[in-house]
Amino acid sequence: MPNIKSAIKRVSNSQQKAKFNKHAKSSLRTAIKKGEKAIEEASDQAAKLVQETQIKLDKAVGKGLVHKNKAARKKSRLAKKLNEMTK
């Protein structure tokens, strides 16, 4: 455990950020799974869920949770699956 005041604050802040990042990444993964499941079930809500997932991915990139290329890849794959479902 650190003795210096600034180091103590640093530990506290990093724990808070880790907690936030864990929650945000978990909810992002859940959104992706919901979108994929809706596509597999050919749900009428699939397009809406995929769009919401894409918005969440963009926000995650803005917050630095996910790399932009990873988000682009996920969005592309979701869109491709959605297009194949509608054919």
Side-chain angles (χ1 to χ4, degrees), residues 46-60:
K48 183 180 177 188
L49 285 171
V50 168
Q51 185 179 17
E52 289 174 2
T53 303
Q54 290 176 341
I55 291 169
K56 285 185 179 186
L57 281 165
D58 288 334
K59 288 184 179 182

Side-chain angles (χ1 to χ4, degrees), residues 1 8-22:
M1 192 67 197
I8 293 169
K9 287 182 182 180
R10 198 35 98 199
V11 168
S12 175
N13 285 343
S14 65
Q15 288 175 343
Q16 289 174 350
K17 287 180 182 180
K19 186 177 179 182
F20 170 80
N21 288 340
K22 185 175 182 180

Side-chain angles (χ1 to χ4, degrees), residues 15 40-41 43 47 52 63 66 69-70 73 75 82 85 87:
Q15 288 175 343
E40 288 174 9
E41 295 174 352
S43 172
E52 289 174 2
K63 292 178 184 178
V66 179
N69 291 349
K70 180 177 181 178
R73 184 176 67 243
K75 287 168 50 177
L82 183 65
M85 180 198 81
K87 286 183 180 179

Side-chain angles (χ1 to χ4, degrees), residues 21-80:
N21 288 340
K22 185 175 182 180
H23 178 270
K25 284 184 179 183
S26 176
S27 65
L28 182 64
R29 284 192 297 266
T30 302
I32 292 170
K33 287 177 187 175
K34 282 183 182 179
E36 289 175 346
K37 186 175 180 182
I39 291 170
E40 288 174 9
E41 295 174 352
S43 172
D44 54 344
Q45 296 289 324
K48 183 180 177 188
L49 285 171
V50 168
Q51 185 179 17
E52 289 174 2
T53 303
Q54 290 176 341
I55 291 169
K56 285 185 179 186
L57 281 165
D58 288 334
K59 288 184 179 182
V61 169
K63 292 178 184 178
L65 293 173
V66 179
H67 193 273
K68 65 178 183 174
N69 291 349
K70 180 177 181 178
R73 184 176 67 243
K74 293 279 188 185
K75 287 168 50 177
S76 174
R77 288 180 181 171
L78 277 173
K80 186 176 178 182

